[in-house]
Amino acid sequence: MTEMRKTLHTPLGAVSYLEGGTGAPLVLLHGIGSGAASWTAQIEAFSDRFRVIAWDAPGYGKSDQVSPDAPAATDYAAHLAGLLDALNIPACHLVGHSLGAIVGCGFARIYPRRVTSLMIAAPATGYGKADLETQNQRRAGRMSLMNELGPKGLARERHSNLLSEKAPRWARIKVQDVMAQLRPEGYEQAVELLVKGDIKADAAEILLDVTVVVGDADTITPPVGCKAVADSFQASSFKILPDLGHACYVEGPGSFNAVLDEHLRKSL
Protein backbone atom coordinates (compact mmCIF):
# COMPACT_ATOMS: atom_id res chain seq x y z
CA MET A 1 0.00 0.00 0.00
CA THR A 2 1.31 3.46 -0.87
CA GLU A 3 1.73 5.85 2.03
CA MET A 4 0.13 9.29 1.92
CA ARG A 5 1.67 12.51 3.29
CA LYS A 6 -0.75 14.59 5.30
CA THR A 7 -0.70 17.61 7.58
CA LEU A 8 -2.92 18.17 10.61
CA HIS A 9 -3.30 21.30 12.70
CA THR A 10 -3.24 20.78 16.46
CA PRO A 11 -3.41 23.27 19.36
CA LEU A 12 0.41 23.28 19.38
CA GLY A 13 0.80 23.72 15.62
CA ALA A 14 0.90 21.79 12.37
CA VAL A 15 2.26 18.24 12.19
CA SER A 16 3.06 16.52 8.89
CA TYR A 17 3.18 12.74 8.61
CA LEU A 18 2.95 9.73 6.35
CA GLU A 19 0.14 7.24 6.84
CA GLY A 20 -0.84 3.89 5.41
CA GLY A 21 -3.10 0.99 6.31
CA THR A 22 -5.81 0.32 8.87
CA GLY A 23 -5.88 -1.45 12.19
CA ALA A 24 -4.14 -0.89 15.50
CA PRO A 25 -2.06 2.32 15.36
CA LEU A 26 1.70 1.93 14.92
CA VAL A 27 3.58 5.24 15.23
CA LEU A 28 7.17 5.69 14.01
CA LEU A 29 9.54 8.41 15.28
CA HIS A 30 12.67 9.28 13.26
CA GLY A 31 16.07 10.50 14.43
CA ILE A 32 17.87 13.84 14.31
CA GLY A 33 19.18 13.55 10.75
CA SER A 34 16.10 12.01 9.20
CA GLY A 35 12.37 12.42 8.59
CA ALA A 36 9.11 10.59 8.06
CA ALA A 37 10.15 9.44 4.57
CA SER A 38 12.84 7.20 6.05
CA TRP A 39 10.14 4.79 7.28
CA THR A 40 8.59 3.88 3.91
CA ALA A 41 9.72 0.25 4.09
CA GLN A 42 7.99 -0.17 7.46
CA ILE A 43 4.80 1.51 6.26
CA GLU A 44 4.76 -0.83 3.27
CA ALA A 45 5.45 -3.94 5.37
CA PHE A 46 2.97 -3.35 8.18
CA SER A 47 0.09 -1.44 6.59
CA ASP A 48 -1.73 -4.68 5.83
CA ARG A 49 -2.31 -5.15 9.58
CA PHE A 50 -1.73 -1.76 11.20
CA ARG A 51 -2.54 1.89 10.76
CA VAL A 52 1.06 3.02 10.34
CA ILE A 53 1.93 6.65 10.99
CA ALA A 54 5.41 8.14 10.58
CA TRP A 55 5.58 11.71 11.79
CA ASP A 56 7.84 14.57 10.89
CA ALA A 57 9.07 15.71 14.30
CA PRO A 58 8.62 19.38 15.22
CA GLY A 59 10.77 21.48 12.91
CA TYR A 60 10.99 18.72 10.29
CA GLY A 61 9.04 18.40 7.06
CA LYS A 62 6.05 20.69 7.33
CA SER A 63 5.72 20.33 11.10
CA ASP A 64 5.85 23.47 13.21
CA GLN A 65 8.67 23.82 15.69
CA VAL A 66 8.34 23.47 19.44
CA SER A 67 8.25 26.86 21.14
CA PRO A 68 10.99 26.73 23.81
CA ASP A 69 14.50 27.84 22.89
CA ALA A 70 15.98 24.83 24.68
CA PRO A 71 13.36 22.10 24.13
CA ALA A 72 13.03 18.94 26.17
CA ALA A 73 11.52 15.54 25.41
CA THR A 74 8.36 16.73 27.15
CA ASP A 75 7.87 19.43 24.49
CA TYR A 76 8.13 16.90 21.66
CA ALA A 77 5.91 14.49 23.58
CA ALA A 78 3.22 17.16 23.85
CA HIS A 79 3.29 17.65 20.06
CA LEU A 80 2.98 13.88 19.57
CA ALA A 81 0.04 13.78 21.96
CA GLY A 82 -1.57 16.57 19.94
CA LEU A 83 -1.17 14.58 16.74
CA LEU A 84 -2.68 11.46 18.31
CA ASP A 85 -5.58 13.48 19.65
CA ALA A 86 -6.23 14.96 16.20
CA LEU A 87 -6.17 11.45 14.72
CA ASN A 88 -8.52 10.13 17.45
CA ILE A 89 -5.88 7.65 18.62
CA PRO A 90 -6.10 6.96 22.37
CA ALA A 91 -3.10 4.61 22.43
CA CYS A 92 -0.55 3.22 19.98
CA HIS A 93 2.39 0.94 19.42
CA LEU A 94 5.39 3.28 19.44
CA VAL A 95 8.76 2.88 17.69
CA GLY A 96 11.57 5.41 18.04
CA HIS A 97 14.95 5.54 16.33
CA SER A 98 17.98 7.36 17.76
CA LEU A 99 16.73 10.79 18.91
CA GLY A 100 13.23 9.44 18.28
CA ALA A 101 13.94 6.94 21.05
CA ILE A 102 14.42 9.84 23.47
CA VAL A 103 11.10 11.30 22.33
CA GLY A 104 9.39 7.91 22.54
CA CYS A 105 10.65 7.23 26.06
CA GLY A 106 9.67 10.71 27.18
CA PHE A 107 6.20 10.17 25.77
CA ALA A 108 5.87 6.75 27.42
CA ARG A 109 6.86 8.19 30.78
CA ILE A 110 4.46 11.12 30.59
CA TYR A 111 1.56 9.32 28.88
CA PRO A 112 1.95 5.65 29.93
CA ARG A 113 -1.66 4.76 29.13
CA ARG A 114 -1.24 5.95 25.54
CA VAL A 115 1.55 3.47 24.72
CA THR A 116 0.49 -0.10 23.97
CA SER A 117 4.07 -1.20 23.33
CA LEU A 118 7.46 0.45 22.91
CA MET A 119 10.40 -0.51 20.70
CA ILE A 120 13.47 1.66 20.30
CA ALA A 121 16.29 1.30 17.77
CA ALA A 122 19.86 2.59 18.06
CA PRO A 123 18.78 4.79 20.97
CA ALA A 124 20.59 8.06 21.58
CA THR A 125 21.22 8.47 25.30
CA GLY A 126 21.45 12.26 25.36
CA TYR A 127 24.02 14.35 27.21
CA GLY A 128 21.80 15.52 30.06
CA LYS A 129 24.12 14.00 32.66
CA ALA A 130 27.31 15.27 31.00
CA ASP A 131 29.26 18.29 32.23
CA LEU A 132 28.64 21.70 30.69
CA GLU A 133 31.85 21.60 28.64
CA THR A 134 30.86 18.32 27.00
CA GLN A 135 27.37 19.62 26.28
CA ASN A 136 28.77 22.75 24.68
CA GLN A 137 31.19 20.71 22.57
CA ARG A 138 28.43 18.42 21.30
CA ARG A 139 26.17 21.35 20.49
CA ALA A 140 28.90 23.31 18.73
CA GLY A 141 30.11 20.31 16.76
CA ARG A 142 26.72 19.53 15.27
CA MET A 143 25.69 23.10 14.59
CA SER A 144 29.02 24.10 13.03
CA LEU A 145 28.55 21.41 10.39
CA MET A 146 24.99 22.49 9.64
CA ASN A 147 25.94 26.17 9.54
CA GLU A 148 28.96 25.51 7.34
CA LEU A 149 27.51 22.97 4.92
CA GLY A 150 23.75 23.52 4.96
CA PRO A 151 21.31 20.59 4.77
CA LYS A 152 22.41 19.30 1.36
CA GLY A 153 26.10 19.59 2.17
CA LEU A 154 25.59 17.96 5.55
CA ALA A 155 23.72 15.11 3.88
CA ARG A 156 26.45 14.69 1.29
CA GLU A 157 29.27 14.63 3.82
CA ARG A 158 27.64 12.80 6.74
CA HIS A 159 25.02 10.36 5.43
CA SER A 160 27.50 7.50 5.22
CA ASN A 161 28.05 7.70 8.99
CA LEU A 162 24.54 6.31 9.46
CA LEU A 163 25.28 3.18 7.43
CA SER A 164 27.59 0.19 7.47
CA GLU A 165 30.38 -0.16 4.96
CA LYS A 166 28.30 -2.86 3.25
CA ALA A 167 25.21 -0.70 2.81
CA PRO A 168 23.71 -0.96 -0.69
CA ARG A 169 23.63 2.06 -2.96
CA TRP A 170 19.84 2.46 -2.71
CA ALA A 171 20.11 2.77 1.08
CA ARG A 172 22.83 5.41 0.77
CA ILE A 173 20.71 7.39 -1.67
CA LYS A 174 17.65 7.18 0.56
CA VAL A 175 19.46 8.28 3.71
CA GLN A 176 21.14 11.15 1.88
CA ASP A 177 17.93 12.31 0.21
CA VAL A 178 15.99 12.38 3.47
CA MET A 179 18.82 14.14 5.33
CA ALA A 180 19.04 16.78 2.60
CA GLN A 181 15.48 17.87 3.50
CA LEU A 182 16.46 18.97 7.03
CA ARG A 183 15.38 22.42 8.16
CA PRO A 184 18.22 24.15 10.04
CA GLU A 185 15.93 25.72 12.63
CA GLY A 186 14.29 22.39 13.43
CA TYR A 187 17.66 20.66 13.50
CA GLU A 188 18.97 23.24 15.98
CA GLN A 189 16.12 22.53 18.39
CA ALA A 190 16.68 18.79 17.98
CA VAL A 191 20.35 19.29 18.87
CA GLU A 192 19.22 21.00 22.08
CA LEU A 193 16.99 18.03 22.83
CA LEU A 194 19.95 15.70 22.32
CA VAL A 195 22.22 17.84 24.49
CA LYS A 196 19.72 18.10 27.34
CA GLY A 197 18.16 14.64 27.00
CA ASP A 198 18.63 11.70 29.36
CA ILE A 199 16.95 8.55 28.05
CA LYS A 200 18.02 6.42 31.01
CA ALA A 201 16.16 8.65 33.47
CA ASP A 202 12.94 8.18 31.52
CA ALA A 203 13.61 4.47 30.97
CA ALA A 204 13.78 3.79 34.69
CA GLU A 205 10.15 4.91 35.08
CA ILE A 206 8.70 2.93 32.15
CA LEU A 207 6.84 -0.24 33.14
CA LEU A 208 6.51 -1.76 29.66
CA ASP A 209 8.65 -4.65 28.45
CA VAL A 210 10.65 -2.64 25.91
CA THR A 211 12.43 -4.06 22.86
CA VAL A 212 15.81 -2.44 22.10
CA VAL A 213 17.61 -3.14 18.81
CA VAL A 214 20.86 -1.93 17.24
CA GLY A 215 23.02 -2.82 14.27
CA ASP A 216 26.34 -4.45 15.08
CA ALA A 217 28.11 -2.00 12.72
CA ASP A 218 26.58 1.07 14.38
CA THR A 219 29.37 3.53 15.20
CA ILE A 220 27.05 6.34 16.36
CA THR A 221 25.23 4.40 19.09
CA PRO A 222 27.36 1.24 19.44
CA PRO A 223 25.82 -1.96 20.82
CA VAL A 224 27.53 -1.65 24.21
CA GLY A 225 25.85 1.70 24.84
CA CYS A 226 22.49 0.45 23.59
CA LYS A 227 22.73 -2.54 25.93
CA ALA A 228 23.22 -0.10 28.81
CA VAL A 229 20.05 1.72 27.72
CA ALA A 230 18.17 -1.60 27.58
CA ASP A 231 19.34 -2.40 31.10
CA SER A 232 17.90 0.92 32.32
CA PHE A 233 14.34 -0.27 31.74
CA GLN A 234 12.50 -2.27 34.36
CA ALA A 235 11.93 -4.93 31.70
CA SER A 236 13.48 -5.21 28.24
CA SER A 237 14.78 -7.47 25.50
CA PHE A 238 17.91 -6.59 23.52
CA LYS A 239 18.73 -7.64 19.98
CA ILE A 240 21.71 -6.96 17.74
CA LEU A 241 21.13 -6.92 13.97
CA PRO A 242 24.08 -8.28 11.96
CA ASP A 243 25.88 -6.16 9.37
CA LEU A 244 23.78 -3.03 9.88
CA GLY A 245 24.73 0.52 10.80
CA HIS A 246 22.92 3.24 12.72
CA ALA A 247 20.01 3.62 10.30
CA CYS A 248 19.32 -0.09 10.66
CA TYR A 249 15.64 0.10 9.68
CA VAL A 250 16.55 1.79 6.40
CA GLU A 251 19.58 -0.31 5.52
CA GLY A 252 18.17 -3.67 6.58
CA PRO A 253 14.37 -3.48 6.53
CA GLY A 254 14.01 -7.26 6.38
CA SER A 255 15.99 -7.86 9.58
CA PHE A 256 14.50 -4.86 11.35
CA ASN A 257 10.93 -5.67 10.36
CA ALA A 258 11.31 -9.25 11.58
CA VAL A 259 12.21 -7.99 15.06
CA LEU A 260 9.41 -5.42 14.96
CA ASP A 261 6.93 -8.09 13.87
CA GLU A 262 7.96 -10.33 16.77
CA HIS A 263 7.69 -7.40 19.17
CA LEU A 264 4.21 -6.48 17.95
CA ARG A 265 2.95 -10.06 18.09
CA LYS A 266 3.98 -10.28 21.73
CA SER A 267 2.02 -7.12 22.44
CA LEU A 268 -1.25 -8.10 20.77
Coordinates of all heavy atoms in Angstrom, one line a residue, residues 171-222:
A171 N 20.2 2.3 -0.3 CA 20.1 2.8 1.1 C 20.9 4.1 1.3 O 20.4 5.0 2.0 CB 20.6 1.7 2.0
R172 N 22.0 4.2 0.7 CA 22.8 5.4 0.8 C 22.1 6.6 0.1 O 22.1 7.7 0.7 CB 24.2 5.2 0.1 CG 25.0 4.1 0.8 CD 26.4 4.0 0.1 NE 27.1 2.9 0.8 CZ 27.8 3.1 1.9 NH1 27.9 4.2 2.5 NH2 28.5 2.0 2.4
I173 N 21.5 6.3 -1.0 CA 20.7 7.4 -1.7 C 19.5 7.8 -0.8 O 19.3 9.0 -0.7 CB 20.2 6.9 -3.1 CG1 21.4 6.7 -4.0 CG2 19.2 7.9 -3.7 CD1 21.1 6.1 -5.3
K174 N 18.8 6.9 -0.2 CA 17.6 7.2 0.6 C 18.0 8.0 1.8 O 17.4 9.0 2.1 CB 16.9 5.9 1.0 CG 15.6 6.1 1.7 CD 14.9 4.9 1.9 CE 13.5 5.1 2.6 NZ 12.7 3.9 2.7
V175 N 19.1 7.6 2.5 CA 19.5 8.3 3.7 C 19.9 9.7 3.4 O 19.6 10.7 4.0 CB 20.6 7.5 4.4 CG1 21.2 8.4 5.5 CG2 20.0 6.2 5.0
Q176 N 20.7 9.8 2.3 CA 21.1 11.2 1.9 C 20.0 12.0 1.5 O 19.9 13.2 1.8 CB 22.2 11.0 0.7 CG 22.7 12.4 0.3 CD 23.8 12.3 -0.7 OE1 24.4 11.2 -0.9 NE2 24.2 13.4 -1.3
D177 N 19.1 11.5 0.7 CA 17.9 12.3 0.2 C 17.1 12.8 1.4 O 16.6 14.0 1.3 CB 17.1 11.5 -0.8 CG 17.7 11.3 -2.1 OD1 18.7 12.0 -2.4 OD2 17.2 10.5 -2.9
V178 N 16.8 12.0 2.3 CA 16.0 12.4 3.5 C 16.7 13.4 4.3 O 16.2 14.4 4.7 CB 15.6 11.2 4.3 CG1 14.8 11.6 5.6 CG2 14.7 10.2 3.5
M179 N 18.0 13.2 4.5 CA 18.8 14.1 5.3 C 18.9 15.5 4.7 O 18.9 16.5 5.3 CB 20.2 13.6 5.6 CG 21.0 14.4 6.6 SD 22.7 13.7 6.9 CE 22.3 12.2 7.6
A180 N 18.9 15.5 3.3 CA 19.0 16.8 2.6 C 17.8 17.7 2.8 O 17.9 18.9 2.5 CB 19.3 16.5 1.1
Q181 N 16.7 17.1 3.3 CA 15.5 17.9 3.5 C 15.4 18.5 4.9 O 14.4 19.1 5.2 CB 14.3 17.0 3.3 CG 14.2 16.3 1.9 CD 14.2 17.3 0.8 OE1 13.5 18.3 0.8 NE2 15.1 17.1 -0.2
L182 N 16.5 18.4 5.7 CA 16.5 19.0 7.0 C 16.2 20.5 7.0 O 16.7 21.1 6.0 CB 17.8 18.7 7.7 CG 18.1 17.2 8.1 CD1 19.5 17.1 8.7 CD2 17.1 16.7 9.1
R183 N 15.5 21.0 8.0 CA 15.4 22.4 8.2 C 16.3 22.9 9.3 O 16.2 22.3 10.4 CB 13.9 22.7 8.5 CG 13.0 22.5 7.3 CD 11.5 22.5 7.8 NE 11.2 23.5 8.7 CZ 10.1 23.5 9.5 NH1 9.2 22.5 9.5 NH2 9.8 24.5 10.3
P184 N 17.2 23.8 9.0 CA 18.2 24.2 10.0 C 17.6 24.6 11.4 O 18.2 24.2 12.4 CB 19.0 25.3 9.4 CG 18.9 25.0 7.9 CD 17.5 24.5 7.7
E185 N 16.5 25.3 11.4 CA 15.9 25.7 12.6 C 15.4 24.6 13.4 O 15.5 24.5 14.7 CB 14.8 26.8 12.4 CG 13.6 26.3 11.6 CD 13.7 26.3 10.1 OE1 14.9 26.4 9.6 OE2 12.7 26.2 9.5
G186 N 14.8 23.6 12.7 CA 14.3 22.4 13.4 C 15.4 21.5 13.9 O 15.4 20.9 15.0
Y187 N 16.5 21.4 13.1 CA 17.7 20.7 13.5 C 18.3 21.3 14.7 O 18.7 20.5 15.7 CB 18.6 20.6 12.3 CG 19.9 19.8 12.6 CD1 19.9 18.4 12.4 CD2 21.1 20.4 12.9 CE1 21.0 17.7 12.6 CE2 22.2 19.7 13.1 CZ 22.2 18.3 13.0 OH 23.4 17.6 13.2
E188 N 18.4 22.6 14.8 CA 19.0 23.2 16.0 C 18.2 22.9 17.3 O 18.8 22.7 18.3 CB 19.0 24.8 15.8 CG 19.7 25.5 16.9 CD 19.9 27.0 16.6 OE1 19.2 27.5 15.6 OE2 20.6 27.7 17.3
Q189 N 16.9 22.9 17.2 CA 16.1 22.5 18.4 C 16.3 21.1 18.7 O 16.4 20.7 19.9 CB 14.6 22.8 18.2 CG 14.3 24.3 18.2 CD 12.8 24.5 18.3 OE1 12.0 23.8 17.7 NE2 12.4 25.5 19.1
A190 N 16.4 20.2 17.7 CA 16.7 18.8 18.0 C 18.0 18.6 18.6 O 18.2 17.7 19.5 CB 16.6 18.0 16.7
V191 N 19.0 19.4 18.2 CA 20.4 19.3 18.9 C 20.2 19.6 20.3 O 20.9 19.0 21.2 CB 21.4 20.2 18.2 CG1 22.6 20.4 19.0 CG2 21.7 19.7 16.8
E192 N 19.4 20.6 20.7 CA 19.2 21.0 22.1 C 18.6 19.9 22.8 O 18.9 19.6 24.0 CB 18.4 22.3 22.2 CG 19.1 23.5 21.8 CD 20.3 23.8 22.7 OE1 20.3 23.5 23.9 OE2 21.3 24.3 22.2
L193 N 17.6 19.2 22.2 CA 17.0 18.0 22.8 C 18.0 17.0 23.1 O 18.0 16.3 24.2 CB 15.9 17.5 21.9 CG 15.3 16.1 22.3 CD1 14.7 16.2 23.7 CD2 14.2 15.7 21.3
L194 N 18.9 16.7 22.1 CA 20.0 15.7 22.3 C 20.9 16.1 23.4 O 21.3 15.3 24.3 CB 20.7 15.5 21.0 CG 21.9 14.5 21.0 CD1 21.4 13.1 21.3 CD2 22.6 14.6 19.7
V195 N 21.3 17.4 23.5 CA 22.2 17.8 24.5 C 21.6 17.7 25.9 O 22.3 17.4 26.9 CB 22.6 19.3 24.2 CG1 23.4 19.9 25.4 CG2 23.5 19.3 22.9
K196 N 20.4 18.1 26.0 CA 19.7 18.1 27.3 C 19.0 16.8 27.7 O 18.6 16.6 28.9 CB 18.7 19.2 27.4 CG 19.2 20.6 27.1 CD 20.2 21.0 28.2 CE 20.7 22.5 28.0 NZ 21.7 22.9 29.0
G197 N 18.9 15.9 26.8 CA 18.2 14.6 27.0 C 18.9 13.6 27.9 O 20.1 13.7 28.0
D198 N 18.1 12.8 28.5 CA 18.6 11.7 29.4 C 17.7 10.5 29.3 O 16.8 10.4 30.1 CB 18.8 12.2 30.8 CG 19.4 11.1 31.7 OD1 19.8 10.0 31.2 OD2 19.4 11.4 32.9
I199 N 17.9 9.6 28.3 CA 16.9 8.5 28.1 C 16.9 7.6 29.2 O 15.8 7.0 29.5 CB 17.3 7.8 26.7 CG1 16.1 7.0 26.3 CG2 18.5 7.0 26.9 CD1 16.3 6.4 24.9
K200 N 18.0 7.4 29.9 CA 18.0 6.4 31.0 C 17.1 6.9 32.2 O 16.5 6.0 32.8 CB 19.5 6.2 31.5 CG 20.3 5.5 30.4 CD 21.7 5.3 31.0 CE 22.6 4.7 29.9 NZ 24.0 4.5 30.4
A201 N 17.0 8.2 32.4 CA 16.2 8.6 33.5 C 14.7 8.3 33.2 O 13.9 7.9 34.0 CB 16.4 10.2 33.7
D202 N 14.3 8.5 31.9 CA 12.9 8.2 31.5 C 12.7 6.7 31.5 O 11.7 6.2 32.0 CB 12.6 8.7 30.1 CG 12.4 10.2 30.1 OD1 12.0 10.8 31.2 OD2 12.6 10.9 29.1
A203 N 13.7 5.9 31.1 CA 13.6 4.5 31.0 C 13.3 3.8 32.3 O 12.6 2.9 32.4 CB 14.9 3.9 30.4
A204 N 13.9 4.4 33.4 CA 13.8 3.8 34.7 C 12.3 3.9 35.2 O 12.0 3.1 36.1 CB 14.7 4.5 35.7
E205 N 11.5 4.7 34.6 CA 10.2 4.9 35.1 C 9.1 4.2 34.2 O 7.9 4.3 34.4 CB 9.8 6.4 35.2 CG 10.7 7.2 36.2 CD 10.2 8.6 36.4 OE1 9.0 8.8 36.3 OE2 11.1 9.5 36.6
I206 N 9.6 3.6 33.1 CA 8.7 2.9 32.2 C 8.5 1.5 32.6 O 9.4 0.7 32.8 CB 9.3 3.0 30.7 CG1 9.3 4.5 30.3 CG2 8.5 2.2 29.7 CD1 10.0 4.7 29.0
L207 N 7.2 1.1 32.7 CA 6.8 -0.2 33.1 C 6.7 -1.3 32.0 O 6.7 -2.5 32.3 CB 5.5 -0.2 33.9 CG 5.5 0.7 35.1 CD1 4.1 0.7 35.8 CD2 6.6 0.4 36.1
L208 N 6.7 -0.8 30.8 CA 6.5 -1.8 29.7 C 7.7 -2.6 29.5 O 8.8 -2.3 29.9 CB 6.3 -1.0 28.4 CG 5.0 -0.1 28.2 CD1 5.2 0.8 27.1 CD2 3.8 -1.1 28.0
D209 N 7.5 -3.8 28.9 CA 8.7 -4.6 28.4 C 9.1 -4.1 27.1 O 8.5 -4.4 26.1 CB 8.2 -6.1 28.4 CG 9.4 -7.1 28.1 OD1 10.5 -6.6 27.9 OD2 9.1 -8.3 28.2
V210 N 10.2 -3.4 27.1 CA 10.6 -2.6 25.9 C 11.6 -3.5 25.1 O 12.5 -4.1 25.6 CB 11.3 -1.3 26.3 CG1 11.8 -0.5 25.1 CG2 10.3 -0.5 27.2
T211 N 11.5 -3.4 23.8 CA 12.4 -4.1 22.9 C 13.4 -3.0 22.4 O 13.1 -1.9 22.0 CB 11.7 -4.7 21.6 OG1 10.8 -5.7 22.1 CG2 12.7 -5.3 20.7
V212 N 14.7 -3.3 22.5 CA 15.8 -2.4 22.1 C 16.6 -3.2 21.0 O 17.1 -4.3 21.3 CB 16.7 -2.1 23.3 CG1 17.8 -1.1 22.8 CG2 15.9 -1.4 24.4
V213 N 16.8 -2.5 19.9 CA 17.6 -3.1 18.8 C 18.7 -2.2 18.3 O 18.6 -1.0 18.5 CB 16.7 -3.5 17.6 CG1 15.7 -4.6 18.0 CG2 16.1 -2.3 17.0
V214 N 19.8 -2.7 17.8 CA 20.9 -1.9 17.2 C 21.6 -2.8 16.2 O 21.7 -4.0 16.3 CB 21.8 -1.4 18.4 CG1 22.5 -2.6 19.1 CG2 22.8 -0.5 17.8
G215 N 22.2 -2.1 15.2 CA 23.0 -2.8 14.3 C 24.4 -3.0 14.8 O 24.9 -2.2 15.6
D216 N 25.0 -4.2 14.5 CA 26.3 -4.5 15.1 C 27.4 -3.6 14.5 O 28.6 -3.5 15.0 CB 26.7 -5.9 15.0 CG 26.9 -6.4 13.6 OD1 26.7 -5.6 12.6 OD2 27.4 -7.6 13.4
A217 N 27.1 -2.9 13.3 CA 28.1 -2.0 12.7 C 27.8 -0.5 13.0 O 28.3 0.4 12.3 CB 28.2 -2.2 11.2
D218 N 27.0 -0.3 14.0 CA 26.6 1.1 14.4 C 27.7 1.7 15.1 O 28.1 1.3 16.2 CB 25.3 1.0 15.3 CG 24.7 2.4 15.5 OD1 25.4 3.4 15.4 OD2 23.5 2.4 15.8
T219 N 28.3 2.8 14.6 CA 29.4 3.5 15.2 C 28.9 4.8 15.9 O 29.6 5.4 16.6 CB 30.5 3.9 14.2 OG1 29.9 4.7 13.1 CG2 31.1 2.7 13.5
I220 N 27.6 5.2 15.7 CA 27.0 6.3 16.4 C 26.5 6.0 17.7 O 26.8 6.7 18.7 CB 26.0 7.0 15.5 CG1 26.6 7.5 14.2 CG2 25.3 8.1 16.2 CD1 25.6 8.1 13.2
T221 N 25.7 4.9 17.8 CA 25.2 4.4 19.1 C 25.6 2.9 19.1 O 24.8 2.1 18.8 CB 23.7 4.6 19.2 OG1 23.1 3.9 18.1 CG2 23.3 6.0 19.3
P222 N 26.9 2.6 19.5 CA 27.4 1.2 19.4 C 26.6 0.3 20.3 O 25.9 0.7 21.3 CB 28.8 1.4 19.9 CG 29.2 2.8 19.7 CD 27.9 3.6 19.9

